Amino acid sequence: MHSVITSINNAITLAQRLREISKNIEDAEFKNVLADLSIEMSDTKLALAQVTEENAELKSELTKLKHSRGESQSDLIFKEFAYYTDSDDGPFCSGCYDSKKQKIRLSPVTGHFATFGRFKCPSCEQRCG
Ligand SMILES: [Zn+2]
């Protein structure tokens, strides 16, 4: 992007030099075309500045978005066999969260089935705890 601005600035400088040279030329059409060219390049420079500004805004929005997504992904804390939120909500299945980024609440297992694990994931059937 920087090199485009540089080349437009160079073009504007060249047009200014042409305008200096044209002082010795008594051709109205040449001067008109040169004036049009200067206006055109100034407009291009302005448009490019807007695009650069927009680009910077989009980049910062994207950074914010990536950041917020990163935060929501790391809000679970692993304890013993499962994930919990920092407010101790849980447990959530570690297998489902690690593989699919899904927060699946583990169901408590009661009775003699509890020997295989006190909790069971309703999604992947994983027993743990
Ligand atoms: Zn699971």
Side-chain angles (χ1 to χ4, degrees):
M1 194 57 88
H2 179 76
S3 64
V4 181
I5 291 173
T6 307
S7 64
I8 286 175
N9 279 334
N10 289 344
I12 289 168
T13 308
L14 287 172
Q16 279 165 351
R17 273 178 62 196
L18 277 176
R19 209 180 301 142
E20 288 299 312
I21 296 164
S22 78
K23 279 175 183 166
N24 306 320
I25 303 168
E26 290 305 318
D27 189 330
E29 198 187 351
F30 180 87
K31 285 181 176 174
N32 283 339
V33 171
L34 191 60
D36 285 349
L37 183 67
S38 299
I39 291 164
E40 207 65 49
M41 281 190 299
S42 296
D43 286 353
T44 308
K45 197 184 170 184
L46 261 164
L48 190 66
Q50 279 176 353
V51 169
T52 308
E53 202 179 306
E54 267 180 31
N55 196 42
E57 276 172 26
L58 287 174
K59 269 185 188 169
S60 93
E61 267 180 49
L62 191 67
T63 308
K64 269 189 249 168
L65 202 67
K66 276 183 182 170
H67 186 69
S68 70
R69 211 179 56 172
E71 276 176 356
S72 68
Q73 274 178 0
S74 62
D75 68 349
L76 292 187
I77 305 143
F78 189 77
K79 283 183 210 166
E80 289 180 80
F81 59 88
Y83 284 107
Y84 294 82
T85 66
D86 51 7
S87 53
D88 236 15
D89 187 22
F92 296 99
C93 175
S94 62
C96 288
Y97 187 70
D98 289 341
S99 62
K100 293 172 278 184
K101 291 281 169 231
Q102 281 180 335
K103 277 202 240 178
I104 309 291
R105 206 173 281 278
L106 293 170
S107 319
V109 180
T110 50
H112 67 274
F113 291 109
T115 12
F116 303 107
R118 286 176 290 134
F119 294 94
K120 185 186 164 194
C121 174
S123 175
C124 69
E125 309 271 297
Q126 168 80 37
R127 284 171 184 273
C128 51

